[in-house]
């Protein structure tokens, strides 16, 4: 294209794309080719060969010329059978739980509406608020990453949010918040409280047992962190009255035929994922112990498949860059002047990956 049309495309974009969108940034995904990839909380393990073979046989008869079941009924049945949601809760599926966060905000957010969350937390709550024209209010955690329940309840009273998002366990701080504090939050909030249990398989803690008690409670889950990040499937459980509204703002066939069949198949082999989780948890304990022994760092407890640590007597940016130079990709959370000052986050990988990370890290913190 000529310079002329470049310029006029810029002008037209300025004229027509909403300011809220123009001021957003595209979700950054780091280049990871050839690296030890510990930046995105992926399960490092693949399926046993025999399982892959059976899976491909299940895919064979799928009718890709037909639209998928809009409600993913078979998959829902499987999720109930696996005991993941109570029988009396309704369920809606999303193309990843990210899409469900968007569906919630399309339904309850928008101009003049506020959503609230303790921060730092999962960045998509604020990003999706921005793209749906919803105001986002973040209530800071305490210095030790625990919930400041008084500040949170004050925020709820002041802003009367349409929805409060609580990641439980929280990303990027890796911890579970106080259960009684969350129960108080649900009681005091007039709007929705979405408990995002993306890491539930690593923690055992859940609020699903509270669904029957609170009509403003929703539980959000994903299959990503247990080992199906590439599949893109999330589910949201709660009262049918809410979910009926959400179905209206969900695109009709958002969960494709292959995802429905694959998730159904995977959940029949839930024990395979649980075994992988056991290995990850064993590694998590080992990684934390070694991190703890590095006196330049402060480590924090984890109820997830990642660890967060703070460079007290070292330079987080330099360490991140040094790891990258050695083809180890973690997440740099460092934001001077915030709760995440000096913080780095690493997914728990395979033993040899963690070993490489820890060896390199102990060299770098001593430089
Ligand atoms: C990773 C993550 C998600 C997003 O999961 P997808 O299903 O892959 O979209 C949601 N919430 C939290 C807290 C996460 O860490």
């Amino acid at each position: 294209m000529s310079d002329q049309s470049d310029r006029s495309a810029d002008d037209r974009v300025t004229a027509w794309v909403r300011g809220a969108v123009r001021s957003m940034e595209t979700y950054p995904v780091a280049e990871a080719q050839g690296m030890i990839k510990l930046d995105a909380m992926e399960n490092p393990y693949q399926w046993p060969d025999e399982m892959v073979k059976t899976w491909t046989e299940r895919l064979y008869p799928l009718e890709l010329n037909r639209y998928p079941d809009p409600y993913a009924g078979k998959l829902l049945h499987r999720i109930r059978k696996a005991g993941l949601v109570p029988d009396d809760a309704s369920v809606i599926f999303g193309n990843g739980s990210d899409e469900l966060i968007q569906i919630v905000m399309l339904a309850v957010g928008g101009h003049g509406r506020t959503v609230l969350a303790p921060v730092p937390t999962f960045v998509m709550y604020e990003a999706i608020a921005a793209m749906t024209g919803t105001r986002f209010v973040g209530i800071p955690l305490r210095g030790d990453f625990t919930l400041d329940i008084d500040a949170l309840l004050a925020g709820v009273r002041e802003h009367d949010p349409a929805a409060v998002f609580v990641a439980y366990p929280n990303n990027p701080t890796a911890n579970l918040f106080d259960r009684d504090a969350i129960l108080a939050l649900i009681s005091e909030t007039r709007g929705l409280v979405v408990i995002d249990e993306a890491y539930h398989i690593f923690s055992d803690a859940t609020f699903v047992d509270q669904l029957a008690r609170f009509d403003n409670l929703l539980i959000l889950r994903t299959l990503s962190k247990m080992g199906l990040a590439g599949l893109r499937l999330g589910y949201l459980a709660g009262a049918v009255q809410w979910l009926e509204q959400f179905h209206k703002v969900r695109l009709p066939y958002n969960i494709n035929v292959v995802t429905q069949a694959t998730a159904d198949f995977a959940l029949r082999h839930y024990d395979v994922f649980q075994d992988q989780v056991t290995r990850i948890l064993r590694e998590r304990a080992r990684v934390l112990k070694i991190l703890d022994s590095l006196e330049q760092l402060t480590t924090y407890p984890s109820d997830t498949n990642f660890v967060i640590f703070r460079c007290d007597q070292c330079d987080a940016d330099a360490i991140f860059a040094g790891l990258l130079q050695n083809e180890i990709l973690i997440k740099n959370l460092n934001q001077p002047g915030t709760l995440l000052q000096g913080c780095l986050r690493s997914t728990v990988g395979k033993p040899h990956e963690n070993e490489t990370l820890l060896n390199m890290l102990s060299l770098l913190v001593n430089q």
Side-chain angles (χ1 to χ4, degrees):
M1 274 198 297
S2 67
D3 282 1
Q4 174 77 41
S5 65
D6 272 2
R7 242 194 327 276
S8 79
D10 284 341
D11 290 346
R12 282 191 216 266
V13 163
T14 307
W16 291 105
V17 176
R18 285 182 291 119
V21 175
R22 278 185 285 123
S23 60
M24 286 177 69
E25 292 190 21
T26 306
Y27 184 79
V29 176
E31 173 58 46
Q33 189 72 42
M35 299 221 190
I36 294 182
K37 189 174 186 311
L38 301 172
D39 65 325
M41 282 77 90
E42 291 146 332
N43 173 342
Y45 297 108
Q46 307 220 342
W47 295 354
D49 284 347
E50 192 54 35
M51 187 169 151
V52 174
K53 193 165 161 280
T54 321
W55 169 59
T56 55
E57 284 161 8
R58 290 292 147 73
L59 296 184
Y60 194 78
L62 291 183
E63 296 186 342
L64 295 179
N65 56 320
R66 302 289 177 197
Y67 282 107
D69 172 354
Y71 296 94
K74 265 183 81 178
L75 176 56
L76 176 55
H77 179 69
R78 180 65 47 204
I79 282 192
R80 291 200 194 286
K81 268 197 109 160
L84 292 169
V85 292
D87 285 343
D88 49 1
S90 289
V91 174
I92 180 171
F93 292 103
N95 189 0
S97 51
D98 287 349
E99 189 186 44
L100 290 163
I101 298 165
Q102 187 182 52
I103 284 173
V104 170
M105 289 206 207
L106 285 173
V108 307
H111 185 71
R113 298 294 179 93
T114 299
V115 296
L116 186 142
V119 290
T121 191
F122 184 49
V123 293
M124 290 310 291
Y125 306 146
E126 186 166 3
I128 294 170
M131 69 179 83
T132 57
T134 310
R135 191 164 74 109
F136 178 85
V137 173
I139 306 288
L141 297 174
R142 296 204 193 94
D144 59 358
F145 298 151
T146 57
L147 209 57
D148 186 343
I149 186 62
D150 294 334
L152 198 56
L153 293 179
V156 165
R157 279 190 293 272
E158 182 184 346
H159 300 288
D160 196 22
V164 180
F165 286 84
V166 180
Y168 181 85
N170 190 40
N171 170 13
T173 59
N175 56 330
L176 286 164
F177 297 131
D178 182 70
R179 191 175 169 85
D180 288 335
I182 294 177
L183 290 172
L185 173 71
I186 303 167
S187 300
E188 297 291 309
T189 303
R190 295 199 316 138
L192 281 171
V193 176
V194 180
I195 305 290
D196 181 347
E197 298 184 351
Y199 299 95
H200 77 103
I201 198 164
F202 303 101
S203 81
D204 283 342
T206 179
F207 276 85
V208 277
D209 57 307
Q210 299 297 311
L211 278 173
R213 199 174 140 205
F214 295 105
D215 57 24
N216 63 336
L217 173 63
L218 298 174
I219 306 294
L220 179 61
R221 298 255 183 90
T222 175
L223 302 195
S224 294
K225 310 296 158 64
M226 72 177 234
L228 293 168
L231 193 62
R232 310 303 299 133
L233 187 81
Y235 59 96
L236 182 69
V240 65
Q241 292 93 332
W242 289 107
L243 271 57
E244 274 170 5
Q245 302 302 317
F246 298 157
H247 278 296
K248 300 179 191 173
V249 292
R250 169 181 70 75
L251 293 176
Y253 303 110
N254 62 329
I255 311 300
N256 71 67
V257 169
V258 178
T259 297
Q260 291 191 27
T262 303
D264 182 14
F265 173 81
L267 291 173
R268 286 171 192 259
H269 296 83
Y270 203 63
D271 55 323
V272 170
F273 295 93
Q274 279 169 325
D275 283 349
Q276 295 177 342
V277 165
T278 305
R279 287 151 85 182
I280 293 166
L281 293 182
R282 208 181 303 133
E283 271 299 287
R284 181 179 80 189
R286 196 177 71 86
V287 168
L288 277 174
K289 201 164 153 213
I290 296 172
L291 286 176
D292 248 342
S293 71
L294 299 175
E295 60 195 22
Q296 294 87 347
L297 307 178
T298 301
T299 56
Y300 294 87
S302 170
D303 289 287
T304 62
N305 63 339
F306 63 90
V307 293
I308 178 172
F309 52 95
R310 186 192 305 273
C311 282
D312 288 322
Q313 302 152 54
C314 47
D315 176 353
D317 292 345
I319 285 181
F320 176 76
L323 290 172
L324 208 53
Q325 255 172 22
N326 287 279
E327 305 194 309
I328 303 167
L329 178 64
I330 64 170
K331 179 81 178 176
N332 188 0
L333 301 168
N334 181 28
Q335 270 184 308
T338 73
L339 280 176
L340 294 177
Q341 173 157 343
C343 286
L344 296 167
R345 185 190 72 192
S346 178
T347 310
V348 177
K350 291 180 179 173
H352 72 91
E353 296 175 324
N354 302 327
E355 207 53 40
T356 309
L357 167 75
L358 292 165
N359 288 339
M360 192 51 64
L361 199 57
S362 49
L363 285 179
L364 288 167
V365 295
N366 281 306
Q367 271 174 12

